[in-house]
Amino acid sequence: MQNTRSIISINELEVVYNTIYGQVRALNRVSLSVAQGEVYGLVGESGCGKSTLGLSISSLLPTPPARINSGKIFFKDFPITDLSDDELMKIRGTGIFMIFQSPLNSLNPVFRVGDQIAEAIQVRIQRENKHFNLQEVYNYGPIENQGFKSAWNESLKKSRKGLRNWKNSEVISEVLSTLESVRISDPERVANSYPHELSGGMRQRVMIAMALSLRPEFLIADEPTSALDVTTQAQILNNMKSLVEKYSTSILFITHDLAVAANISNRVGVMYAGSIVEEASVYNLFKEPLHPYTVGLLKSFPQGNKRTNKLFSIKGEVPNLASLPPGCPFAPRCSQAKPKCYNDRPQLIEVERNRKVACFLYE
Amino acid sequence: MSVTTFVLRRLFMSIFVLLGVTTLTFIISRVVVPNPARAWIGPKPNPDLLKALMKKYHFDEPLYMQYFYYVIGLFTGDWGVDPYSSIPILTEIRMYFPVTIELTILSSLISILLGIPLGILSATHRGKTWDNAVRLSYLISTSVPIFIVALVLLLLLGYWLKIFPVSGQLSLNVARPPTITGLIMVDALLTGNLNAFIDNLYHMILPSFTLALSSFGIITRLVRSSMIEVLEMEYTKTAKVKGLNKNKIFYKHCLRNALIPTVTIFALLTAYFLGGSLFIENIFSLPGMGRYTTQALLMFNIPAVMGTTFLFALIIIVMNFIADVLYALLDPRIALE
Ligand SMILES: Nc1ncnc2c1ncn2[C@@H]1O[C@H](COP(=O)(O)OP(=O)(O)OP(=O)(O)O)[C@@H](O)[C@H]1O
Ligand code: SF4
Ligand SMILES: [Mg+2]
């Protein structure tokens, strides 16, 4: 992967949240890069900074309270962290898209779901196909103005009957087929529904459909399958894989489910208290975890037929990000900690080819 | 539940509220003056006249029958007779009401035109100079009593700078257009009398502006807070991350959501305007409902007070109903409720 062009590269990113309890250091000098067509799985316990990393890349951190203290993020050659909103607009959507963690409020409550997906399709079409008659797309009533209800139904009928307006009906049938591809069995009904009429899992799939229809170069998926049953989850993972195959999309896949991470990722980063502590290919990480935290994490993950009833849990507590000790963040919970671990911070260094770990045991 | 059933249900509820109001005005009128007939004739009543009146207004019958006649009267257009002028209350209201309608509509327009953009400006410049200026202005707007605002503006713009006329509806040299609707501006337009239209508008600007100035803060404040809320919502982030342009994010995805709660305060605002008209119409010598009501109160004109109270309540109930319906139309989530 090292030789291929990286689509996202993050350099020593430090993000803090200013709260009344002090500065919460959500990201502590995080560096990582994702290559084109690569799926990078980001795993870690709740509150370790995964969403913060995703939001930093999409430039949607709530500022305030968040602030980027130092570090840069590059999307291809663009320094995202220095761009204005207008410049970001051109990158977002087809360049970078993000599926947010909470599916409940991600969709606009006053517009029909179908229109919200169609809007995404329009963005893509507008950018990818210069011969496409833009004016015609933008004249498409339902998406542009408020009287869309009847117009939408009207165009829906037309599209089904294959009548005029072939370009509009193309958008509509794409909406319907994308919804179908995320295992929504009655796409017409869902497309015509308002978000509040759908379940959490359905809304999550609508967001995924939106991602699929944008075909972004870089997709950040923040726990995109958390509200879905296993079968649907498997289907969604396949959708994402085909996105990678067909359009060589790169994905940052955030999850706390190691099985999901193992299924979809090429490479996995393990995060702990705002730092990436280990990074390796899926195969290496699961075969032979290096960092003591990863070892603990994998022990709590029931593997194959070695099912244990008791889930392993690492003793001690997740450190308070508002007052991190100077040394290794994992030191208070680490059984192999040395005196040095309490004073110096281990850096994420390459110990083998394509294998990085931040731990003094491997220096 | 469909929007239609929702509307019908609200309508049904409004009727009950209206009946409640009639009960209240009836009780108040009977508590304040146990025998209005007597009050109308004066301290030394002519017994024959009193008897005739008692009969005419059913005061010789039990209370519940009196209430029954009162409600029937309200809905058949018999709101009683002004004891001082002997003109039916409804006829008087028809004379006075148009001025208040003009005043209220103009004030609403001004306060909407002032309130919504200021609220948006404030929300998008949160914490910056613009925001602070707007917040200060609405703080002043809502905390300075309306009659102070009226007097200051009157003194400044009317007497000293002489930009606006200080009283009345029309200049002396402008003839009043023939009454069609009673609203001078509308009548002037209907008869093609542009001169009277402009003159009336010119007279109404200062009072409407005063009323608007002391109420736009309610709108600004609400628009600001709901806009701030919407700008931070997850779906606004979705709109951004989709790659939509600024205008679409703002005007399509945010504004509509932010303005939905604003609709609900129009009933409140109407109530505020009607209350404000009591001051404004007296200060600017406008013959509207506000002045009619103050005079009726001062003269102990019970039928007139009952009539205006009922009318004001009716307006507010209707405005509430309209606000509910608008809300249901704008927000798809409501219909499910
Ligand atoms: N808006 C905010 N204000 C203050 N602190 C915040 C805010 N958002 C996140 N944090 C803090 O930043 C840290 C990282 O949060 P983040 O949401 O990135 O965690 P996460 O890894 O995504 O967790 P989860 O798996 O629960 O989603 C947490 O300690 C959290 O308390
Ligand atoms: S650096 Fe020290 S404390 Fe941290 S994980 Fe390695 S051994 Fe444990
Ligand atoms: Mg998260």
Side-chain angles (χ1 to χ4, degrees), chain A residues 291-292 328 330-331 334 336-337 341 346 359-361:
Chain A
H291 195 282
C328 169
F330 191 58
C334 180
Q336 302 169 64
C341 303
C359 173
F360 289 128
L361 296 178

Side-chain angles (χ1 to χ4, degrees), chain B residues 60 63 122 135 186 227:
Chain B
D60 49 355
L63 263 185
S122 188
R135 281 157 75 190
V186 178
M227 196 70 200

Side-chain angles (χ1 to χ4, degrees), chain B residues 128-141:
Chain B
K128 306 214 177 94
T129 320
W130 271 115
D131 184 27
N132 292 335
V134 170
R135 281 157 75 190
L136 186 69
S137 77
Y138 73 59
L139 203 67
I140 296 174
S141 144

Side-chain angles (χ1 to χ4, degrees), chain B residues 307-318:
Chain B
T308 51
T309 312
F310 179 73
L311 180 71
F312 281 10
L314 185 67
I315 294 168
I316 290 164
I317 290 170
V318 169

